[in-house]
Amino acid sequence: MTDFYDDLETRSSDRREAELFAALPAHLSHAKAAAPYFGRLLAEVDPAAIHDRMALASLPVTRKSDLIALQRADPPFGGLAAVEVGRLARVFASPGPIHDPEPHGSDPWRSARALHAAGFRADDLAQNCFAYHLTPAGSMFETGAHAIGCAVIPAGTGNTEMQAQVIAGLRPRGYIGTPDFLKVILEKGDALGLDVSSVRIACVSGGPYLPDARAFYEARGVEVTQCYGTADLGIVAYETAARSGLVVNEGYIVEIVRPGTGDTVPDGEVGEVVVTVFNPAYPLIRFATGDLSAVLAGPSPCGRTNMRLKGWMGRADQTTKVKGMFVHPSQVAEVLRRHPQLSRARLVVGRRDAGDTMTLRCEAEETGEALASSIRDTLAAVTKLNGSVEFAAPGTLPNDGKVIDDQRG
């Protein structure tokens, strides 16, 4: 096997974009016909007209936060699945609960590219320390490892001493799991006097990869790469040897939108990750993950040409209560829509004299009391709460994806 999983990873960006959007109309037609939820959501949409990113951005988003209610109303998958439950390979129940379908086939969660980029190759032995019960992570990575040709130890979570003993006895070259658990296992192995040095590569996800863990693995000569995915979508993006952001996986269209909306933001601006996946069994279209990230400019130095994400940068759902009423990011977006003079805005929630306060900080080229007064009126009309307005120079608000900044501690 080469440094790349296949030629798709190195095709030109223009070719990839053309091929994805050439395939999208048929995918939308399939979702409309086979998944009742998308049949209703896209009832007025002509799939043939959705042939580029601008057209795709006109479609409504489906939010991960809505899945629990959708699935309770129409079990087991809220009408989002395009196959009967009996035609699936596995069905999972993630916390919530949210039911996640796994179709039949090789690498159904598209984890093989992430594992290959991490250094896994045919005939490797991998210790998979993701959970195998109810949640899909264990199967998600095992199926990808099998697609590469790896043997897998289905280690699961916990049992740290036994995990270390397994490494000492079976000598796996690779680890798959959360970023911190491998450190725990290796330290337990050291404490027990076991040789756990066989682990040389790791593919991690499901938690932050913190600097102390990174330094620990570097000192031991373990090459660790991260990937980003969800139980609904599979592996959306993955790190490579270049250590320069996360490369978007093949078979996905990723957009970054302003939190609480479906409006795309310029490259480099932090927003919510929205994904369309070419999965015939579970054809999620403009699926809002609730996670924040940003697009990095240019291709990866590793030679893969797909879009790069900066990485996981927090949660997009910043809904908060002010004076007993919920305020949503979509309401801040509505204020922006009604005042095109504003480029960006952030609602700062504070506390003064035992009461809640709201201040809308706005980026604008031209300011003045007349505009401020108009914005205050709009803010009150949209949120049913009074707040103040402050202006900021364009480009001065933090680029961290926060639309509502709750500073009440």
Side-chain angles (χ1 to χ4, degrees):
M1 297 181 75
T2 66
D3 288 340
F4 304 109
Y5 188 71
D6 59 23
D7 292 341
L8 293 178
E9 294 182 339
T10 56
R11 57 185 162 165
S12 72
S13 298
D14 289 344
R15 178 186 164 195
R16 177 183 294 105
E17 194 83 349
E19 291 175 348
L20 285 172
F21 282 93
L24 184 59
H27 184 63
L28 295 176
S29 295
H30 166 68
K32 284 185 67 173
Y37 170 83
F38 288 111
R40 296 188 298 271
L41 188 72
L42 305 176
E44 304 302 318
V45 173
D46 175 11
I50 311 302
H51 48 69
D52 58 22
R53 286 185 180 268
M54 184 177 296
L56 178 62
S58 71
L59 300 183
V61 299
T62 296
R63 300 196 176 282
K64 182 181 177 77
S65 57
D66 294 335
L67 285 185
I68 295 174
L70 288 169
Q71 293 184 355
R72 284 177 179 168
D74 184 9
F77 302 117
L80 280 76
V83 297
E84 297 296 325
V85 67
R87 294 177 56 195
L88 296 166
R90 296 181 181 87
V91 177
F92 297 96
S94 295
I98 294 175
H99 305 136
D100 304 303
E102 179 185 300
H104 291 280
S106 175
D107 193 26
W109 301 95
R110 292 181 168 91
S111 66
R113 292 182 192 281
L115 292 169
H116 186 273
F120 289 80
R121 297 293 184 270
D123 303 325
D124 275 340
L125 178 61
Q127 187 151 327
N128 185 1
C129 293
F130 278 117
Y132 273 80
H133 298 118
L134 291 180
T135 58
S139 180
M140 185 181 295
F141 285 92
E142 179 172 294
T143 51
H146 286 166
I148 291 174
C150 300
V152 176
I153 304 166
T157 59
N159 302 306
T160 308
E161 184 171 328
M162 183 175 290
Q163 300 267 14
Q165 292 170 344
V166 166
I167 292 175
L170 292 177
R171 312 294 294 162
R173 191 172 85 91
Y175 163 89
I176 303 167
T178 58
D180 55 344
F181 190 43
L182 176 58
K183 181 175 184 288
V184 174
I185 295 171
L186 296 180
E187 289 176 334
K188 174 61 73 172
D190 293 344
L192 295 173
L194 300 173
D195 182 359
V196 289
S197 62
S198 67
V199 176
R200 312 309 300 163
I201 56 174
C203 183
V204 301
S205 190
Y209 184 24
L210 299 175
D212 61 335
R214 190 183 299 271
F216 175 86
Y217 297 133
E218 289 176 351
R220 295 184 74 114
V222 182
E223 293 289 330
V224 179
T225 56
Q226 308 174 73
C227 59
Y228 163 68
T230 77
D232 326 274
L233 296 161
I235 302 304
V236 175
Y238 54 91
E239 192 176 24
T240 73
R243 302 293 192 273
S244 182
L246 305 183
V247 176
V248 170
N249 208 343
E250 303 297 326
Y252 294 86
I253 300 174
V254 173
E255 305 168 86
I256 305 296
V257 308
R258 186 164 286 109
T261 77
D263 304 333
T264 56
V265 300
D267 286 357
E269 185 171 330
V270 177
E272 183 174 9
V273 179
V274 169
V275 181
T276 298
V277 58
F278 287 83
N279 178 351
Y282 201 42
L284 298 179
I285 297 159
R286 298 208 82 204
F287 184 75
T289 63
D291 295 320
L292 293 174
S293 193
V295 173
L296 292 174
S300 171
C302 73
R304 292 171 178 83
T305 55
N306 210 345
M307 173 193 294
R308 290 182 300 151
L309 300 181
K310 192 170 182 179
W312 186 84
M313 300 177 68
R315 294 292 295 166
D317 185 5
Q318 299 156 26
T319 298
T320 190
K321 258 189 177 179
V322 181
K323 299 178 183 177
M325 295 184 65
F326 283 109
V327 180
H328 305 274
S330 59
Q331 292 172 307
V332 179
E334 178 61 22
V335 175
L336 280 172
R337 268 193 288 270
R338 296 189 189 186
H339 295 276
Q341 310 97 317
L342 307 180
S343 54
R344 295 169 64 201
R346 170 188 295 238
L347 187 68
V348 180
V349 181
R351 196 85 174 147
R352 184 186 308 120
D353 299 328
D356 294 335
T357 63
M358 292 196 323
T359 301
L360 189 68
R361 302 199 66 223
C362 312
E363 290 186 1
E365 291 281 358
E366 297 182 10
T367 63
E369 180 52 34
L371 178 58
S373 177
S374 178
I375 295 169
R376 284 195 296 269
D377 290 345
T378 302
L379 182 63
V382 170
T383 66
K384 313 305 180 189
L385 296 165
N386 292 321
S388 59
V389 171
E390 292 180 0
F391 290 112
T396 58
L397 291 181
N399 182 23
D400 56 9
K402 279 190 177 181
V403 176
I404 300 176
D405 184 9
D406 191 343
Q407 298 184 354
R408 292 172 295 185

